[in-house]
């Protein structure tokens, strides 16, 4: 449990209320589906990668019996969205999309980014038994599936859960992907679907702890009794201390490396930035674990090249071997996060018990996503930036839907 000061601090970031959400849910049950949906589409990868608002994207339909159709009310920006915009693993993710048995469209550009969603169920497949139209849900779509920067989405029923009643749609949308990453990192060894609760007294360092994954990891680790050290920019110090961090280092301070070198070694290091492996790995105790959420070698995979792929895998194997034989510790990395099966159930439990609370830095409309991504890249994240899909919907979309006589979007609030 975080301190009352910490809870007060993070709730300050969540003041933007979704005042129209309840009305939107009721209204969305009464109107027909539009032929087209608004979506923020990625039209090109790399340096010239561009996100463009589309009003002509076909509204998704249920194509499998285990799918649910959702009127999406909120999403959030994750570092993975920014990396995908730049072309990270583009060729291999495209291959995965093309060969996926769960998807029928959305394989090629233009691609919709965004993994998190929170909204209202509009329709369900015949094999869906846990959800029904009108239910408020949240979750995270698979990394190879169509994204959630769109007013209507279709996801597998396993990717959604009933939204905790204590959370607004905005708060709920800030959690799934980042929490899935944190929960997956701390899985109990040998128990793939169980959160590691035996961390009492363990020394853990989170490098780059100010973002979505770091702020949630602090809360999870503190409730398990771990000693948590963090690194961040100075502007996040108060936030991290309020969340329960025992020690906060400024990674742009001149004494940063010296301070960490003088501290006792760590049992686990979680690196969210990928920019300090060579320095941090020697800071581990024997039999410690280093976990990277941003393996820099994988950034070279911008085109389909099997030879390059195996060369990179060989380079990563060398890192693993060096980590084991020189420092007697383990090295793990995630190219992208596919959380374990029951992470959403555990997330709901942690929210309901007050173990974790959302940390929302900023709220933007769909039109503000590009600028928000640029800001995160330049300044580093502090908590999460949430996308409010009810915020000032564009007039052209309303006019298009009215002209189709298929209903209109709920009014923003």
């Amino acid at each position: 449990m975080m301190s009352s000061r910490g809870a007060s601090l993070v709730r300050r970031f969540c003041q933007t209320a979704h005042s129209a959400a309840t009305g939107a849910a009721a209204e969305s049950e009464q109107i027909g589906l539009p032929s087209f949906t608004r979506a923020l589409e990625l039209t090109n990868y790399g340096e010239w990668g561009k996100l463009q608002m589309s009003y002509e994207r076909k509204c998704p339909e249920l194509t499998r019996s285990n799918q649910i159709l959702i009127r999406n009310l909120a999403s959030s920006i994750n570092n993975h969205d920014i990396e995908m915009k730049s072309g990270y693993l583009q060729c291999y993710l495209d291959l995965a999309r093309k060969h996926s048995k769960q998807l029928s469209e959305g394989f090629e550009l233009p691609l919709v980014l965004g993994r998190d969603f929170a909204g209202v169920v509009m329709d369900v497949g015949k094999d869906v038994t846990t959800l029904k139209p009108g239910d408020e849900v949240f979750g995270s779509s698979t990394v190879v599936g169509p994204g959630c920067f769109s007013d209507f989405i279709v996801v597998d029923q396993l990717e959604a859960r009933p939204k905790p009643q204590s959370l607004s749609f905005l708060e709920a949308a800030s959690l799934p992907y980042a929490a899935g990453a944190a929960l997956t990192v701390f899985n109990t060894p040998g128990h793939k679907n169980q959160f590691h609760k035996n961390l009492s007294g363990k020394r853990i360092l989170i490098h780059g702890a100010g973002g979505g994954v770091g702020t949630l990891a602090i809360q999870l680790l503190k409730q398990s009794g771990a000693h948590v050290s963090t690194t961040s920019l100075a502007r996040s110090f108060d936030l991290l201390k309020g969340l329960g961090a025992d020690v906060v280092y400024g990674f742009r301070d001149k004494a940063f490396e010296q301070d960490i070198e003088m501290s006792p070694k760590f049992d686990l290091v979680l690196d969210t930035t990928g920019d300090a492996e060579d320095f941090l790995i020697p800071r581990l105790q024997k039999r410690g674990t280093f976990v990277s959420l941003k393996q820099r070698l994988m950034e070279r995979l911008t085109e389909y090249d099997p030879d390059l792929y195996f060369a990179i895998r060989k380079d990563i194997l060398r890192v693993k071997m060096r980590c084991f034989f020189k420092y007697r510790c383990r090295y793990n990395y995630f190219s992208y996060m596919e959380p374990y099966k029951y992470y959403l159930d555990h997330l709901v439990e942690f929210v309901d018990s007050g173990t974790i609370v959302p940390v929302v830095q900023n709220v933007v409309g769909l039109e503000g996503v590009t600028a928000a991504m640029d800001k995160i890249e330049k300044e580093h994240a502090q908590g999460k930036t949430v996308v409010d899909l009810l915020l000032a919907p564009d007039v052209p979309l309303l006019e298009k839907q009215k002209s189709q006589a298929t209903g209109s979007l709920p009014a923003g609030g």
Side-chain angles (χ1 to χ4, degrees):
M1 295 283 291
M2 75 163 53
S3 65
S4 58
R5 174 176 176 269
S8 175
L9 182 62
V10 296
R11 286 291 180 181
R12 182 166 54 85
F13 291 97
C14 301
Q15 293 300 313
T16 303
H18 237 200
S19 58
T22 303
E27 185 176 350
S28 63
E29 291 185 68
Q30 301 172 4
I31 63 174
L33 293 177
S35 301
F36 299 95
T37 182
R38 180 182 59 152
L40 192 62
E41 297 179 335
L42 177 66
T43 58
N44 196 16
Y45 289 115
E47 182 180 354
W48 302 105
K50 183 180 179 182
L51 291 172
Q52 182 173 315
M53 190 69 70
S54 170
Y55 304 98
E56 300 289 345
R57 193 171 185 89
K58 183 180 177 182
C59 192
E61 300 175 349
L62 300 179
T63 58
R64 296 185 180 276
S65 60
N66 63 344
Q67 291 178 330
I68 59 176
L69 174 65
I70 296 171
R71 168 61 170 97
N72 196 22
L73 302 177
S75 185
S76 74
I77 299 174
N78 294 288
N79 284 335
H80 182 70
D81 300 313
I82 299 172
E83 292 165 357
M84 286 183 68
K85 177 174 174 285
S86 301
Y88 180 71
L89 295 180
Q90 66 183 69
C91 51
Y92 293 93
L93 290 176
D94 279 345
L95 283 175
R97 294 183 189 105
K98 290 175 182 177
H99 290 90
S100 172
K101 296 179 181 180
Q102 298 180 359
L103 305 173
S104 61
E105 61 180 356
F107 302 142
E108 308 292 344
L109 293 174
L111 181 70
V112 178
L113 301 179
R115 305 266 64 84
D116 297 314
F117 62 84
V120 179
V121 176
M122 300 290 291
D123 196 8
V124 300
K126 65 178 182 179
D127 291 335
V128 177
T129 58
T130 57
L131 297 168
K132 63 183 184 303
D135 285 350
E136 297 178 355
V137 294
F138 81 131
S140 179
S141 68
T142 175
V143 73
V144 299
C148 300
F149 292 159
S150 179
D151 287 314
F152 292 91
I153 59 173
V154 168
V155 300
D156 187 285
Q157 64 173 335
L158 293 177
E159 296 165 6
R161 292 291 187 278
K163 179 182 71 66
Q165 292 301 305
S166 60
L167 300 181
S168 69
F169 285 99
L170 294 178
E171 292 170 323
S174 73
L175 292 175
Y177 188 84
L183 286 166
T184 301
V185 166
F186 301 115
N187 265 350
T188 301
H191 299 273
K192 189 173 182 181
N193 293 317
Q194 181 178 338
F195 176 70
H196 197 328
K197 297 181 179 178
N198 187 26
L199 293 169
S200 180
K202 299 293 186 182
R203 290 182 51 79
I204 296 176
L205 173 66
I206 305 173
H207 180 53
V213 175
T215 52
L216 293 175
I218 293 170
Q219 299 176 64
L220 291 168
L221 291 169
K222 290 308 298 179
Q223 68 85 32
S224 66
H227 180 282
V228 181
S229 298
T230 61
T231 71
S232 73
L233 296 175
R235 62 186 171 87
S236 296
F237 283 7
D238 287 343
L239 173 62
L240 301 186
K241 291 175 182 176
L243 291 170
D246 297 288
V247 182
V248 180
Y249 299 102
F251 59 62
R252 287 184 179 171
D253 294 348
K254 293 182 179 179
F256 162 64
E257 294 188 0
Q258 181 180 352
D259 289 343
I260 291 185
E261 285 176 345
M262 292 177 62
S263 70
K265 290 194 173 183
F266 300 96
D267 297 289
L268 185 146
V269 172
L270 172 60
D271 179 15
T272 71
T273 69
D275 61 5
E277 276 192 7
D278 292 340
F279 170 69
L280 292 175
I281 289 176
R283 309 279 77 78
L284 283 165
Q285 298 196 48
K286 288 184 179 180
R287 299 179 183 173
T289 302
F290 184 91
V291 181
S292 174
L293 296 187
K294 194 168 186 178
Q295 224 302 328
R296 294 290 183 179
L297 291 171
M298 299 299 290
E299 293 180 350
R300 292 157 51 191
L301 279 175
T302 57
E303 59 185 42
Y304 182 69
D305 184 342
D307 292 336
L308 177 60
Y309 174 78
F310 286 110
I312 290 174
R313 291 298 298 266
K314 187 180 294 185
D315 288 341
I316 293 175
L317 179 60
R318 290 194 187 99
V319 175
K320 285 176 171 278
M321 298 293 283
R322 172 175 170 266
C323 199
F324 179 78
F325 287 108
K326 186 172 182 178
Y327 300 107
R328 290 292 187 266
C329 57
R330 291 174 295 178
Y331 179 95
N332 296 325
Y333 75 95
F334 294 90
S335 300
Y336 54 84
M337 188 57 59
E338 286 288 11
Y340 62 98
K341 184 176 180 181
Y342 299 109
Y343 86 99
L344 280 174
D345 296 323
H346 293 161
L347 174 57
V348 171
E349 291 175 9
F350 287 131
V351 170
D352 288 342
S353 67
T355 298
I356 62 174
V357 297
V359 183
V360 178
Q361 172 202 25
N362 192 23
V363 179
V364 299
L366 200 57
E367 296 80 1
V369 168
T370 300
M373 283 185 171
D374 291 342
K375 182 177 180 180
I376 292 172
E377 278 193 289
K378 294 175 182 177
E379 301 180 7
H380 296 280
Q382 184 183 16
K384 291 296 294 287
T385 293
V386 175
V387 183
D388 185 349
L389 279 89
L390 292 182
L391 188 62
D394 282 358
V395 173
L397 177 63
L398 297 175
E399 291 177 347
K400 176 180 288 296
Q401 291 179 324
K402 289 177 180 177
S403 68
Q404 295 171 339
T406 54
S408 62
L409 282 172

